[in-house]
Amino acid sequence: MIRRAQQAIVVFLIASASGVVAIAQIRERDSEWTAPSEAAARPNPLAGRPETAAGGAKLFHVRCASCHGPDGRGASKGPDLMDAAVQAQTDGALFWKLSNGNTRAGMPTFSFLPEPQRWQLVLHLRVARRAAEGRARATGISEAR
Amino acid sequence: MKLRLNIIFMFTVAGLAATAPPLLAQERAYFVTYDHYLEEPGHLEIAVANSSGFPRDGGARHAPWLELEYGLTGWWTAELYLEGVTSRRDGSAFTGWRWENRFRPLKGEHAVNPVLYVEYESINEASRIQKEIVGAGRLPFEPIAELREKHAHELEGKLILSSVVGAWNVSENVVFEKNLSADEGVEFGYSVGVSRAVGTLASGASCRFCAENFVVGLEAYGGLGSTEAFAAAQQRHYVAPVVAWRLSDRTTLKASVGFGLTENADRALLRLGFVYELPIGVRK
């Protein structure tokens, strides 16, 4: 009797877990997810230290690329971080978002990273965007020639 | 001999996996205490670990376990444990399985972040992983063959509270456990932990021994009696320094030495764990 109840519990848990896994794969952008104005106004303390962006690139590769893609252009689980709507946000807003996460939309909380490393990630996003723009310009010039 | 083989095996696996290609790993240094960080959605974490308990009167028992942790959503993580026990005198046995779920009810980061934990355990009395300590009294020390015949179905709940205070994580867990197979009342336990990353800025170069790859901390845990009896004199309490070392972007090695603070606690609890993280279902 106990064994049968045990098996029923296992089947129920596995079935419910599978259903949730399927639902969990659907990601929608949360328009209500905005940083408070005070947090958005914070400047990046590493903005004057471009040499720290390399550390940000390494962190991005480790922490973010699995969801946002290796170049930050987005993948099945995370949006395009080079997108104009993301890049228009302040450094403080991006810092707040990666520190707080948005568990309902599948964005983890990265407050376990030391604060300087979270600023390094923000710096990397800016550097990566500028690099992508530079590459696009260079491609446009060579095509025009 | 068996312990030595276990350690050699774990270090071999760690050495091989350290060369694995990069990806995400979220290192929780604690073995017993839970913080509010759940598994990344769509990521499977595979961990092999061992708890070796050294009682004051000899007769060490080693309890290896396999842990499969999956991030179902941003707010729900599920885990399956398979555990065993071995000792030089008594041989070895499979001691059961556990199904654990953690739910994070609040959306963002708060001063105190609550997580709800529910676990079903189908284990026997020979279980020694000591992932949580509840109630009071010494662990039974009959032969493993005898203990494995005493089966138990248990339901466990935890209230996990976790905060970020500067560079530190501070976590407190309250544990409630009900043995569904015996009339023992509800047993209580606790664990508290503090930890922090050693490094601050990440270096641009790939490095294995950089400070940024280490997390250190301290946890304390123990039983707090039951609804039947508080039994302060029989409780087991431990304090344990912990360290986690990110060997590669996918793998983490964890270690802890727990010191028994009360008469019924083991003299020492040595824990070693190796964690490998695997993303599933990520498409470009």
Side-chain angles (χ1 to χ4, degrees):
Chain A
M1 185 63 186
I2 289 173
R3 179 164 287 184
R4 195 169 291 173
Q6 202 173 313
Q7 285 168 349
I9 289 169
V10 173
V11 170
F12 170 74
L13 290 172
I14 291 172
S16 49
S18 309
V20 173
V21 170
I23 295 164
Q25 304 311 314
I26 302 163
R27 300 266 174 268
E28 283 177 17
R29 195 166 281 185
D30 183 353
S31 56
E32 291 175 10
W33 190 41
T34 50
S37 53
E38 197 178 307
R42 287 182 73 184
N44 189 340
L46 301 177
R49 297 179 59 187
E51 75 280 4
T52 59
K58 189 175 84 175
L59 286 169
F60 185 89
H61 182 56
V62 175
R63 308 284 179 188
C64 317
S66 63
C67 291
H68 293 283
D71 51 4
R73 282 285 181 189
S76 59
K77 297 185 119 180
D80 181 357
L81 299 177
M82 301 297 118
D83 183 73
V86 175
Q87 291 287 332
Q89 296 176 46
T90 63
D91 285 354
L94 295 175
F95 177 85
W96 182 87
K97 286 190 169 181
L98 68 91
S99 299
N100 279 266
N102 183 352
T103 50
R104 301 285 167 215
M107 168 70 180
T109 302
F110 285 93
S111 61
F112 64 90
L113 286 176
E115 211 174 290
Q117 292 187 17
R118 282 175 264 154
W119 284 118
Q120 281 183 287
L121 278 168
V122 174
L123 186 62
H124 166 71
L125 291 180
R126 302 302 190 201
V127 171
R129 167 71 174 181
R130 283 197 293 272
E133 283 172 350
R135 279 195 301 275
R137 270 198 301 274
T139 311
I141 290 165
S142 64
E143 277 174 5
R145 281 176 183 166
Chain B
M1 184 66 183
K2 274 174 185 159
L3 174 64
R4 200 176 300 160
L5 282 174
N6 273 348
I7 292 170
I8 291 168
F9 168 75
M10 289 181 74
F11 275 102
T12 308
V13 173
L16 289 171
T19 58
L23 238 152
L24 193 146
Q26 183 172 295
E27 46 299 301
R28 179 177 67 222
Y30 310 125
F31 276 88
V32 176
T33 311
Y34 284 87
D35 57 29
H36 65 291
Y37 301 110
L38 302 187
E39 186 55 47
E40 312 290 330
H43 281 238
L44 175 68
E45 189 180 281
I46 304 163
V48 284
N50 184 76
S51 287
S52 291
F54 299 91
R56 290 168 201 279
D57 49 3
R61 288 193 175 171
H62 314 288
W65 77 87
L66 171 73
E67 189 179 331
L68 302 171
E69 177 176 311
Y70 187 72
L72 290 159
T73 69
W75 50 269
W76 181 8
T77 288
E79 269 187 82
L80 176 69
Y81 288 80
L82 300 172
E83 54 167 275
V85 68
T86 183
S87 87
R88 190 177 292 179
R89 282 193 307 219
D90 288 342
S92 308
F94 175 65
T95 55
W97 58 273
R98 299 159 187 248
W99 178 265
E100 170 193 309
N101 293 276
R102 279 178 285 148
F103 305 98
R104 195 172 156 176
L106 302 182
K107 185 172 157 180
E109 192 79 357
H110 301 269
V112 178
N113 300 284
V115 174
L116 304 174
Y117 172 113
V118 183
E119 182 179 75
Y120 171 75
E121 302 169 3
S122 175
I123 55 175
N124 56 52
E125 290 285 319
S127 172
R128 283 294 183 283
I129 68 171
Q130 304 200 58
K131 276 281 286 172
E132 68 281 313
I133 291 173
V134 292
R138 198 163 175 258
L139 287 171
F141 253 82
E142 288 89 13
I144 288 174
E146 217 173 280
L147 290 173
R148 65 184 292 194
E149 298 305 320
K150 298 176 186 169
H151 201 84
H153 300 273
E154 296 183 344
L155 203 56
E156 184 184 304
K158 281 183 190 171
L159 173 63
I160 297 165
L161 302 172
S162 170
S163 310
V164 177
V165 182
W168 293 85
N169 170 261
V170 181
S171 298
E172 309 89 25
N173 302 175
V174 185
V175 190
F176 314 87
E177 190 172 282
K178 172 72 184 144
N179 186 343
L180 304 172
S181 313
D183 192 14
E184 295 174 345
V186 177
E187 295 180 297
F188 304 107
Y190 72 94
S191 69
V192 292
V194 291
S195 68
R196 63 164 293 160
V198 176
T200 49
L201 279 172
S203 68
S206 178
C207 55
R208 208 150 277 162
F209 295 97
C210 299
E212 74 203 53
N213 292 332
F214 290 88
V215 177
V216 294
L218 184 75
E219 62 180 340
Y221 42 85
L224 292 172
S226 70
T227 46
E228 309 274 295
F230 184 61
Q234 275 105 54
Q235 292 173 4
R236 291 177 292 136
H237 298 276
Y238 292 89
V239 62
V242 292
V243 62
W245 175 23
R246 195 150 54 84
L247 294 167
S248 77
D249 296 333
R250 268 190 190 188
T251 57
T252 302
L253 190 64
K254 293 165 43 166
S256 156
V257 183
F259 301 98
L261 301 175
T262 51
E263 193 63 30
N264 278 338
D266 286 345
R267 184 164 42 85
L269 250 180
L270 175 66
R271 301 181 196 265
L272 205 56
F274 173 75
V275 183
Y276 182 83
E277 190 143 343
L278 195 66
I280 295 174
V282 182
R283 301 179 304 277
K284 174 70 184 169

